[in-house]
Amino acid sequence: MKALAIDLGGTFTKAAVVDETGRFLSYEKIKTGGERQAPQIVSDIIDLALNVIKKANTRPEEISHIGMASPGMVNEHTGEIVRINNINLSGINFKAGFSKHFSAPFFISNDANCAALGEYFMLKEKPQSMVMVTIGTGIGGGIIHEGKLFLGINGLCGEIGHMGIVKGGKKCTCGRYGCFEQYASTSALIRMVKERMENNPQSPFWQICGDIEKVDGKTVFLGLDKDFPEAKEIFDGWLEYLSYGILNIINIFQPQLILLGGGIMNEKDRILPKVREYIIKNRYCNYPLDLGITQIDVALGNDAGLIGASLLGRKIL
Ligand SMILES: [Zn+2]
């Protein structure tokens, strides 16, 4: 198998030729330049694809299939990117674009789904079911059951970040209020620190940052390093929202494994033990633990989206 995998991203687009073991035979990345007109972006991505194929000493006819990971809303059946923020590709059908150069079948899926698939593939022991939760600007998700992505009737499955957790809460990018990602994403944690600084000129966070615009995903952890009670209060509050949402996922799916991904998981030693403790303490009806409880771990992250894209259309066992 030689799959052509493409991972379209807000900043960079990566491509690779990937064999059946997940090994990259070639790899290249370019700036997406998403602010440009669609035909230019598409043409650069096709060129990128042809380049990685050449680099892998392969011909387009030898490519077994093409898999593409895309942010936003995609239609797996037609190959169309239905809606995408920050990249001028809404309404573009890559399946049609690639068919001019390749005869291989084309698959496309949401980037969170692809990341889940890639992570699952890299696990030595495959769980019966797995939910991947990616924490960043928003919260993305991917659900895998018995080796296959769970897509729902329209492919829009796994939008964990838009699970409502606070009725009438903060306005979300999706247009609704009180979504999980407004409380448990990295952006939410940053917002919580900023709000504290705005409301309290004595806040110790001013010592750390000086400027409110410099608050980032690391700020609260710098506060924890210095034992600032305010940092602990914010972090514990955020963590409770995160744990609350994860518990909801568990109550619905009882998956064997939940993987948490995103840059913030560099702080896994501060996050994981508390989430695990919360899950055990608040499990459904205090059920006997020997029935089995969802394991919670950290995603590997490295190019999982690209590996996952190469696996679209396959059942992984
Ligand atoms: Zn939302």
Side-chain angles (χ1 to χ4, degrees), residues 161-163 171-182:
H162 301 284
M163 156 174 69
K171 177 137 200 210
C172 184
T173 52
C174 73
R176 291 178 70 241
Y177 293 84
C179 294
F180 183 39
E181 69 177 33
Q182 293 305 315

Side-chain angles (χ1 to χ4, degrees), residues 226-293:
K226 293 184 190 300
D227 287 325
F228 289 158
E230 213 166 89
K232 187 173 174 349
E233 198 188 313
I234 293 173
F235 178 64
D236 287 352
W238 174 83
L239 205 54
E240 195 171 355
Y241 281 120
L242 179 68
S243 306
Y244 189 93
I246 290 172
L247 189 67
N248 281 345
I249 300 168
I250 293 175
N251 281 338
I252 297 168
F253 295 105
Q254 295 290 345
Q256 191 177 341
L257 176 67
I258 289 184
L259 285 182
L260 304 181
I264 201 160
M265 292 313 294
N266 288 334
E267 296 289 344
K268 63 175 191 289
D269 295 342
R270 282 176 158 135
I271 297 172
L272 278 184
K274 290 197 175 168
V275 173
R276 287 174 178 148
E277 191 188 312
Y278 184 96
I279 297 311
I280 291 180
K281 210 163 143 195
N282 294 283
R283 69 188 185 277
Y284 175 64
C285 289
N286 216 17
Y287 75 78
L289 285 175
D290 56 14
L291 288 178
I293 190 156

Side-chain angles (χ1 to χ4, degrees), residues 93-108:
N93 191 322
F94 271 93
K95 189 177 194 168
F98 274 102
S99 70
K100 290 179 195 148
H101 301 268
F102 300 92
S103 52
F106 176 87
F107 302 94
I108 189 166

Side-chain angles (χ1 to χ4, degrees), residues 69-86:
S70 169
M73 195 186 282
V74 298
N75 185 329
E76 272 95 0
H77 304 298
T78 63
E80 184 193 349
I81 298 179
V82 180
R83 202 174 298 153
I84 184 169
N85 294 328
N86 309 323

